[in-house]
């Protein structure tokens, strides 16, 4: 599903340069006092402001995991992507998280830093050592270096839903991975083709 996630990008309050041309000041900017000397605010729109918000969330996620889990090399890209997607919220009633929803303009939703990294006790990393109990359980590809999959193999994980689990706390399972470069001569550029199956 593309886009993966979305962020607000229309009429976002932003800074403006001191050399910003006065001919570019809109009526909405003027309401902020944009014509007054020393006032450097304006409204901006587009991917330039939306992408910066998501990048900021990712930077704060890196800092969180570095500070609290000692992940000094940062998160691998697939884990970043999984956390953003899994913890994103719907942009409106027209969207749900069904994989075959015909309305896909929001991707998996709007990322939220407070959802993605709510607290250190809410996140657990599942390893070969045994089960993990937390609000967010992460299976990082680097945690199972001895169990890499070959064609036809699978990993199975049992998930126990606690009593009192409600529709407001929906179980969400996300699979992402960092794919190595594909063969330029191949018609299929995807090297690994992984599938996620969730069954009751």
């Amino acid at each position: 599903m593309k886009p993966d996630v979305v962020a607000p990008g229309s009429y976002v309050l932003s800074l403006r340069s001191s050399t910003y041309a006065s001919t570019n000041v809109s009526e909405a900017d003027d309401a902020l006092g944009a014509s007054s000397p020393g006032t450097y605010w304006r409204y901006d729109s587009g991917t330039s402001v939306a992408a910066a918000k998501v990048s900021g969330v990712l930077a704060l996620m890196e800092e969180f995991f570095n500070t609290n889990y000692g992940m000094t090399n940062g998160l691998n890209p697939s884990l970043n992507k999984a956390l953003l997607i899994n913890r994103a919220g719907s942009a409106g009633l027209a969207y749900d998280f069904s994989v075959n929803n015909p309305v896909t303009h929001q991707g998996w939703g709007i990322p939220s830093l407070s959802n993605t990294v709510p607290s250190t006790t809410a996140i657990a990393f599942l390893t070969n050592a045994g089960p993990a109990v937390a609000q967010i359980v992460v299976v990082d590809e680097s945690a199972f270096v001895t169990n890499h999959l070959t064609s036809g193999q699978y990993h199975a994980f049992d998930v126990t839903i606690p009593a009192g689990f409600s529709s407001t706390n929906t179980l969400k399972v996300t699979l992402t991975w960092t794919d190595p470069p594909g063969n330029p001569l191949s018609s299929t550029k995807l090297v690994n083709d992984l599938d996620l199956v969730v069954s009751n």
Side-chain angles (χ1 to χ4, degrees):
M1 185 185 295
K2 295 293 178 186
D4 294 307
V5 292
V6 294
S10 182
Y11 273 90
V12 176
L13 189 60
S14 182
L15 296 173
R16 68 180 177 91
S17 166
S18 60
T19 59
Y20 189 70
S22 59
T23 54
N24 292 335
V25 173
S26 69
E27 196 173 313
D29 295 337
D30 239 354
L32 298 171
S35 298
S36 304
T39 305
Y40 301 114
W41 298 99
R42 72 181 178 108
Y43 287 106
D44 206 353
S45 298
T47 54
S48 297
V49 288
K53 290 180 178 180
V54 177
S55 297
V57 168
L58 288 167
L60 291 170
M61 286 168 58
E62 290 281 348
E63 181 182 25
F64 173 86
F65 281 95
N66 187 0
T67 303
N68 295 291
Y69 294 94
M71 299 175 75
T72 53
N73 295 327
L75 301 177
N76 66 56
S78 61
L79 182 52
N80 269 326
K81 183 176 179 180
L83 286 169
L84 275 184
I85 288 173
N86 186 274
R87 308 297 292 171
S90 178
L93 296 176
Y95 305 101
D96 62 32
F97 298 113
S98 169
V99 293
N100 55 6
N101 184 6
V103 184
T104 59
H105 309 302
Q106 72 152 7
W108 294 108
I110 300 174
S112 165
L113 183 63
S114 59
N115 279 354
T116 305
V117 287
S119 73
T120 55
T121 57
I123 300 175
F125 288 83
L126 187 63
T127 66
N128 285 331
V133 178
Q135 180 184 349
I136 303 170
V137 177
V138 173
V139 182
D140 189 16
E141 59 192 52
S142 62
F144 290 89
V145 291
T146 58
N147 296 334
H148 287 174
L149 299 174
T150 59
S151 293
Q153 288 185 323
Y154 65 91
H155 284 309
F157 304 97
D158 291 327
V159 178
T160 302
I161 307 300
F165 202 73
S166 69
S167 59
T168 57
N169 297 311
T170 307
L171 173 68
K172 293 171 70 176
V173 184
T174 304
L175 171 68
T176 60
W177 67 93
T178 304
D179 212 42
N183 183 341
L185 301 177
S186 172
S187 59
T188 304
K189 300 300 184 260
L190 195 63
V191 174
N192 296 303
D193 185 5
L194 306 180
D195 296 311
L196 172 67
V197 177
V198 180
S199 61
N200 184 337

